[in-house]
Amino acid sequence: MKFTSYLVFFAIIIFLSITIRLFLIEIYVVPSSSMEDTILPGDKILVNKLSYGPRLPSSPLEIPLFNLVFLLSKRLREKADSAWWNYKRVQGFSKVRHNHVVVFNSTDKAGEVMIKRCMGLPGDTLLIRDALIYADGLEIHEKRTLRFFSRIMFSDYASATSILDSLGIKTYYNRHAGKNYLSTYLNRLQKEALLTK
């Protein structure tokens, strides 16, 4: 009886851990620097899958812990990237809105997770003018830490790099068509600080 109760307890723990990871919450590690100043590479984020609705697995290999059994078979490992079942998503409690940070699977690389900020929704017409973002003519009031790709033209490289270093801004040196410029990503606060120098 004691062995049976332990076995049942162990099965319940496995079932709960699989259910929580598939349908409720999951921890992801930020893979890139594209969201810097909001979240940094290597940061761990907790994703609430109930917000937009959890995506159901497309194969047994996407089911946590359960996939270990399938990975033991060489024949099944060869089918790791193939979909066994059609795409389905459970209804969530909310919808994606402008400025939401969303986590989604990469369409280019299987198993890679992307973390980005939503600036446009289906049907939107986006316009970026003077570092302001407009969707269907209305300005999206983005976070002041949102960064934009910027080119900084200069006449004196030493002065330019000294100013940027004092502000803690990392840059990349470029030469194109006889013009010298530094490439970087600036948020609005950094841009304002740079313009006062």
Side-chain angles (χ1 to χ4, degrees):
M1 285 296 289
K2 203 169 188 181
F3 175 76
T4 306
S5 62
Y6 281 137
L7 198 62
V8 169
F9 178 75
F10 186 66
I12 289 170
I13 293 295
I14 290 175
F15 175 77
L16 285 174
S17 65
I18 290 171
T19 304
I20 287 168
R21 280 192 64 193
L22 278 179
F23 300 108
L24 301 177
I25 55 174
E26 190 161 356
I27 297 172
Y28 291 97
V29 177
V30 178
S32 69
S33 61
S34 63
M35 289 286 293
E36 268 188 8
D37 296 342
T38 303
I39 47 179
L40 302 172
D43 282 355
K44 292 179 176 64
I45 59 170
L46 191 65
V47 175
N48 176 6
K49 293 188 173 186
L50 295 175
S51 292
Y52 308 137
R55 179 179 59 85
L56 298 179
S58 59
S59 79
L61 294 163
E62 291 184 5
I63 302 173
L65 301 176
F66 191 65
N67 59 3
L68 297 175
V69 178
F70 282 81
L71 290 173
L72 294 174
S73 167
K74 184 181 178 184
R75 186 174 57 83
L76 292 173
R77 277 199 308 270
E78 292 171 356
K79 295 182 178 181
D81 295 333
S82 60
W84 294 34
W85 308 305
N86 292 332
Y87 175 88
K88 285 187 181 174
R89 183 176 288 278
V90 178
Q91 181 69 40
F93 293 116
S94 64
K95 293 184 178 179
V96 179
R97 301 278 181 230
H98 294 114
N99 262 329
H100 280 195
V101 176
V102 294
V103 178
F104 56 95
N105 295 93
S106 170
T107 55
D108 296 330
K109 297 178 183 176
E112 185 176 333
V113 173
M114 309 291 284
I115 301 170
K116 304 292 177 190
R117 186 180 300 279
C118 174
M119 300 315 292
L121 297 169
D124 281 355
T125 300
L126 285 179
L127 171 67
I128 300 174
R129 181 187 295 148
D130 298 326
L132 297 176
I133 302 172
Y134 300 87
D136 292 334
L138 300 173
E139 183 184 344
I140 299 173
H141 297 283
E142 80 281 352
K143 307 284 185 188
R144 289 174 69 82
T145 55
L146 186 66
R147 299 188 327 154
F148 293 89
F149 178 77
S150 305
R151 285 184 176 167
I152 302 164
M153 308 301 288
F154 62 89
S155 56
D156 181 11
Y157 178 78
S159 297
T161 53
S162 175
I163 291 169
L164 292 164
D165 286 346
S166 71
L167 295 171
I169 299 171
K170 295 178 183 176
T171 58
Y172 308 94
Y173 180 56
N174 297 272
R175 277 187 187 166
H176 181 67
K179 294 181 179 177
N180 292 330
Y181 61 90
L182 295 165
S183 297
T184 189
Y185 289 89
L186 297 175
N187 62 40
R188 186 137 336 152
L189 296 172
Q190 291 169 324
K191 181 181 175 185
E192 289 168 4
L194 190 58
L195 289 171
T196 61
K197 291 286 184 178

